Amino acid sequence: MIVTLIIICEVGFWVLLGVGLALRYFARMPRASVAVLLCEPLLEVLLLVVTAIDLRNGAEPDWKHGLAAVYIGFSVALGPELIKWADARFAHRFAGGPPPVRPPKYGKARAIHEWRTAARWIVASGIAVALLQAAIWYVGSDGRIDSLRMWQQKMVFLIGINVVWALGYTVFPKKAPGGTADAGRAKSLSDR
């Protein structure tokens, strides 16, 4: 039942996102759009409540309960950014909005972008770890909590990957073809 609910929540997320954006750009109903988009967190609350009830009713904690915690963490931390991403593309495609801003490709700006992205993933993983720990405490030491601990380890590993990835762009920044902007500026000054 938990896996089915996770799938329903994911499909519901995209349906609500599509309906919200359609209301905003096609029907010209921005307030209704906001109301629909604000319903999206209710999906995560529903999943959290159903998971807690399932555990309280004596279900053995397994990978499905861990997956529910991970899904909630990622929806909470990454959902708003995904909505902004989709909104920018929808506005550009259907409402004559400006083209979406592309992330920087080189140098310090790229490193900052990578750290911001890593921070969102770290927050998502942190929320998942906290929910998993709450489930472990909720079940108590009597229950089998190995699968919940396994999910926690995966989330900590994911945090490590994100830190290493962002650190890589900080320590070894990508350079623009033909040098940096400062090198290009120096060349143009020497041409005068």
Side-chain angles (χ1 to χ4, degrees), residues 92-116:
H92 175 64
R93 174 90 174 162
F94 298 110
V101 177
R102 294 185 182 265
K105 291 184 179 181
Y106 308 107
K108 184 179 178 181
R110 178 61 186 235
I112 291 169
H113 169 76
E114 292 299 331
W115 277 108
R116 286 183 181 149

Side-chain angles (χ1 to χ4, degrees), residues 32-101:
S33 170
V34 169
V36 168
L37 292 175
L38 286 175
C39 289
E40 289 188 352
L42 296 176
L43 296 172
E44 283 73 41
V45 171
L46 173 69
L47 180 59
L48 181 64
V49 168
V50 169
T51 303
I53 290 170
D54 191 43
L55 289 171
R56 187 186 63 186
N57 288 339
E60 197 68 37
D62 61 8
W63 66 272
K64 297 177 283 226
H65 298 97
L67 180 62
V70 170
Y71 178 82
I72 292 168
F74 281 71
S75 293
V76 168
L78 301 175
E81 191 65 26
L82 183 58
I83 291 170
K84 288 179 194 172
W85 176 87
D87 185 45
R89 277 143 187 83
F90 209 89
H92 175 64
R93 174 90 174 162
F94 298 110
V101 177

